[in-house]
Amino acid sequence: MKASQQQQETLLDLSQIDLQIRRNHLALEAISNSDEIQNVRAALMQHSEALLVQRNALDALELDLSRAAQDLELVEVRIEKDKATLDQSSNPKDIQGLQHELVSLAKRKDTLEDAEIVLLEKVEAGKNELAAIAKSRDDVQRDLDKLEHEQSAEIAKLKSGSALLVEDRNRAKANLPAELADHYEKLKARGVGVARFSGISCGVCGMTLTGSGLDEIRSTPMDELAHCSECSGILVR
């Protein structure tokens, strides 16, 4: 197929542009599917779940503390009432019964106060744990925000670069005859490229050419396309 030296150089440029477009596409895929970001997102999810579990646990403790406080208040009210009744009573049997009940209520009060202290300590520890998990989650969130910002910037950069490359490709292809451009596109669809011919080896597949394959390239006129006998790549001399 006829192709001037300039057209062959254009084919070489077109091949390099397509190679860079492919590299950009692969880089875009890699960045969009970043393992690092996926891992940080998974860590954030774990921290969020831990935070929810801790909040629920703390809510349960605070509910128990509230119930204990209410029970203690009821006991204290009952003690005060019994004391008032005792002070006004003159019936020995009633007095004995009230005294016995006050002893029981005092023990109940001690038990509730001890339980309240334990619950207060657990609530305080729960709050500290919740704060620690929340801080850790916030740290992971900041890491994720930073990574996603960098990812977005890199994606925008690659897309912008790819758009410019597409413009360069269109301009280069427009400088080629339709037949030559179609020939290139067909080879490209098969994964065949364009490269320099060093004199003995193919710049496309890297094979060292010998015998008839080498003779065929050397005998091809400079204004015609030369193809590698091994990979069918276009060799620009």
Side-chain angles (χ1 to χ4, degrees):
M1 180 179 293
K2 289 289 184 179
S4 67
Q5 194 63 36
Q6 182 58 50
Q7 289 170 344
Q8 292 183 46
E9 292 292 337
T10 299
L11 285 174
L12 185 59
D13 291 342
L14 189 56
S15 179
Q16 290 302 309
I17 291 171
D18 281 336
L19 178 61
Q20 189 56 53
I21 289 175
R22 176 60 178 164
R23 287 172 178 167
N24 278 22
H25 178 71
L26 293 175
L28 189 59
E29 284 187 344
I31 292 173
S32 299
N33 300 295
S34 169
D35 288 339
E36 184 178 11
I37 289 181
Q38 294 301 324
N39 291 337
V40 175
R41 283 175 178 164
L44 181 63
M45 180 64 71
Q46 291 174 353
H47 279 74
S48 296
E49 291 174 352
L51 191 63
L52 179 60
V53 169
Q54 185 59 27
R55 278 177 177 161
N56 289 338
L58 182 58
D59 287 345
L61 284 172
E62 289 179 331
L63 180 59
D64 288 343
L65 180 59
S66 176
R67 288 171 176 168
Q70 290 174 0
D71 289 344
L72 182 58
E73 183 179 1
L74 289 174
V75 170
E76 290 174 339
V77 169
R78 183 61 181 270
I79 288 174
E80 292 302 317
K81 181 179 179 181
D82 283 358
K83 284 182 177 179
T85 303
L86 182 64
D87 290 340
Q88 297 174 0
S89 179
S90 58
N91 187 316
K93 186 176 180 180
D94 290 343
I95 291 174
Q96 184 179 11
L98 287 169
Q99 289 174 335
H100 179 74
E101 184 173 334
L102 282 170
V103 171
S104 298
L105 287 172
K107 291 181 179 178
R108 175 62 175 162
K109 180 182 177 181
D110 289 342
T111 300
L112 288 173
E113 287 176 338
D114 290 342
E116 187 178 43
I117 291 172
V118 171
L119 285 170
L120 282 169
E121 292 174 346
K122 288 184 177 180
V123 166
E124 184 64 24
K127 288 180 177 179
N128 291 336
E129 180 65 17
L130 183 66
I133 295 173
K135 182 181 181 304
S136 181
R137 184 191 180 283
D138 289 343
D139 290 341
V140 175
Q141 182 66 66
R142 279 192 293 272
D143 290 342
L144 180 60
D145 290 343
K146 180 182 177 182
L147 288 171
E148 288 182 335
H149 177 74
E150 293 173 348
Q151 181 193 54
S152 296
E154 190 61 27
I155 287 175
K157 180 181 177 182
L158 285 170
K159 286 184 175 180
S160 177
S162 294
L164 292 174
L165 286 169
V166 170
E167 291 178 4
D168 291 342
R169 186 184 196 278
N170 291 337
R171 280 193 294 268
K173 190 175 177 181
N175 291 327
L176 297 174
E179 184 181 9
L180 189 56
D182 289 344
H183 179 64
Y184 169 81
E185 293 292 359
K186 289 177 181 178
L187 290 178
K188 177 177 174 293
R190 289 161 45 197
V192 178
V194 181
R196 293 280 183 191
F197 178 58
S198 66
I200 57 172
S201 62
C202 172
V204 178
C205 64
M207 292 291 293
T208 298
L209 303 176
T210 59
S212 61
L214 184 60
D215 291 339
E216 181 179 348
I217 293 174
R218 288 176 175 173
S219 63
T220 300
M222 295 299 291
D223 63 347
E224 290 186 9
L225 291 183
H227 291 82
C228 172
S229 59
E230 298 292 333
C231 70
S232 300
I234 297 173
L235 295 175
V236 178
R237 295 157 291 163

